């Protein structure tokens, strides 16, 4: 997809420039849409949209670097939208680079053919349009979090958080023979409180006449089993 888009952009740029040079060179501009669009052949020694005229060699070197960078990035390409984006950038960069290499006045100093003109706007060509469209698409894809390898930033963050939680849970688990064994110093449930002594069993018999049995508040505590009970006088 990247190669197909790049070849399409490059072919459109080369064909359009060939026609413009053959039909509009040294001629009056062609007015279209009531003067909103003009077709006029000009030569640009600078960057896109006639920026930085006079630095042709610098922009030639930059264009070569852009082409190499795109080709190296394409090795990790796994996204169709990014393939279209990089294809537009590659085709536009090569289209203007060919003008700088092979057109007058000299190799590496050639002037780019521009021919599309809008009111109050610099003259440009189809290669410039491809570069601008590819740059806008790159900004949109980056804003949506789509990466060149086809993944999204949100998915990567979720995977990183999941890996972090898994590592943290594994670190909290005890290892070695002490795992699953209670601490030696922790008291058991049996030793938490001493058992109260059982009350002595007496012979069963009929109830005796006498005062009522004392309330539970007056009875000795369970822990005071060794203290004799107080006798009540009739």
């Amino acid at each position: 997809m990247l190669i197909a888009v790049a070849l399409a952009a490059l072919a459109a740029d080369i064909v359009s420039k060939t026609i413009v040079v053959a039909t509009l060179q040294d001629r009056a501009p062609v007015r279209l849409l009531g003067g909103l669009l003009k077709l006029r052949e000009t030569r640009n020694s600078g960057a896109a949209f006639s920026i930085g005229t006079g630095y042709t060699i610098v922009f030639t070197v930059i264009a070569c670097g852009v082409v190499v960078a795109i080709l190296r990035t394409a090795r990790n390409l796994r996204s169709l939208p990014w393939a279209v984006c990089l294809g537009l950038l590659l085709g536009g960069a090569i289209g203007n680079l060919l003008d700088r290499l092979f057109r007058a006045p000299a190799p590496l100093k050639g002037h780019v053919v521009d021919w599309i003109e809008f009111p109050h706007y610099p003259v440009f060509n189809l290669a410039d349009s491809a570069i601008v469209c590819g740059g806008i698409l790159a900004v949109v894809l980056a804003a949506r979090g789509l990466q060149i390898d086809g993944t999204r930033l949100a998915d990567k963050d979720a995977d990183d958080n999941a890996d972090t939680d898994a590592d943290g849970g594994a670190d909290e688990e005890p290892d070695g023979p002490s795992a699953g064994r209670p601490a030696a110093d922790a008291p058991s449930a049996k030793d938490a409180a001493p058992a109260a002594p059982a009350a002595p069993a007496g012979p069963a018999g009929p109830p005796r006449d006498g005062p009522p049995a004392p309330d539970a508040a007056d009875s000795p505590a369970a822990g005071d089993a060794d203290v004799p009970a107080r006798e009540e006088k009739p």
Side-chain angles (χ1 to χ4, degrees), residues 57-141:
I57 296 181
V58 175
F59 290 120
T60 303
V61 174
I62 293 176
C64 293
V66 170
V67 172
V68 173
I70 293 175
L71 293 177
R72 289 176 59 88
T73 305
R75 296 182 301 177
N76 301 324
L77 186 62
R78 299 293 184 276
S79 170
L80 182 61
W82 274 107
V84 175
C85 170
L86 296 180
L88 290 172
L89 294 174
L90 182 61
I94 295 178
N96 285 337
L97 180 60
L98 292 179
D99 284 359
R100 301 185 191 281
L101 293 176
F102 300 111
R103 290 193 185 274
L108 299 178
K109 296 182 180 180
H111 294 177
V112 177
V113 176
D114 291 334
W115 55 276
I116 304 174
E117 181 180 8
F118 287 101
H120 312 292
Y121 202 75
V123 185
F124 60 96
N125 55 42
L126 293 184
D128 298 335
S129 301
I131 293 174
V132 171
C133 292
I136 294 175
L137 182 57
V139 172
V140 173
L141 295 177

Side-chain angles (χ1 to χ4, degrees), residues 5-220:
V5 172
L7 290 177
L10 179 60
D13 181 65
I14 292 176
V15 171
S16 63
K17 288 176 179 176
T18 303
I19 296 175
V20 165
V21 171
T23 59
L24 295 179
Q25 188 173 18
D26 301 327
R27 295 183 182 180
V30 177
R31 296 170 60 90
L32 301 175
L33 303 176
L36 180 62
L37 173 63
K38 292 182 181 180
L39 304 182
R40 178 166 65 93
E41 191 264 350
T42 61
R43 299 300 176 104
N44 173 23
S45 61
F49 304 106
S50 302
I51 299 174
T53 57
Y55 297 93
T56 307
I57 296 181
V58 175
F59 290 120
T60 303
V61 174
I62 293 176
C64 293
V66 170
V67 172
V68 173
I70 293 175
L71 293 177
R72 289 176 59 88
T73 305
R75 296 182 301 177
N76 301 324
L77 186 62
R78 299 293 184 276
S79 170
L80 182 61
W82 274 107
V84 175
C85 170
L86 296 180
L88 290 172
L89 294 174
L90 182 61
I94 295 178
N96 285 337
L97 180 60
L98 292 179
D99 284 359
R100 301 185 191 281
L101 293 176
F102 300 111
R103 290 193 185 274
L108 299 178
K109 296 182 180 180
H111 294 177
V112 177
V113 176
D114 291 334
W115 55 276
I116 304 174
E117 181 180 8
F118 287 101
H120 312 292
Y121 202 75
V123 185
F124 60 96
N125 55 42
L126 293 184
D128 298 335
S129 301
I131 293 174
V132 171
C133 292
I136 294 175
L137 182 57
V139 172
V140 173
L141 295 177
R144 297 183 60 184
L146 182 62
Q147 302 297 299
I148 292 179
D149 58 359
T151 60
R152 292 184 179 274
L153 287 179
D155 299 338
K156 284 187 175 181
D157 294 341
D159 295 340
D160 294 342
N161 293 335
D163 295 341
T164 303
D165 295 341
D167 294 342
D171 293 342
E172 291 177 0
E173 294 180 357
D175 345 346
S178 60
R181 188 176 61 188
D185 297 338
S188 62
K190 294 182 178 181
D191 301 335
R208 296 181 303 174
D209 296 336
D215 295 336
D218 298 332
S219 62

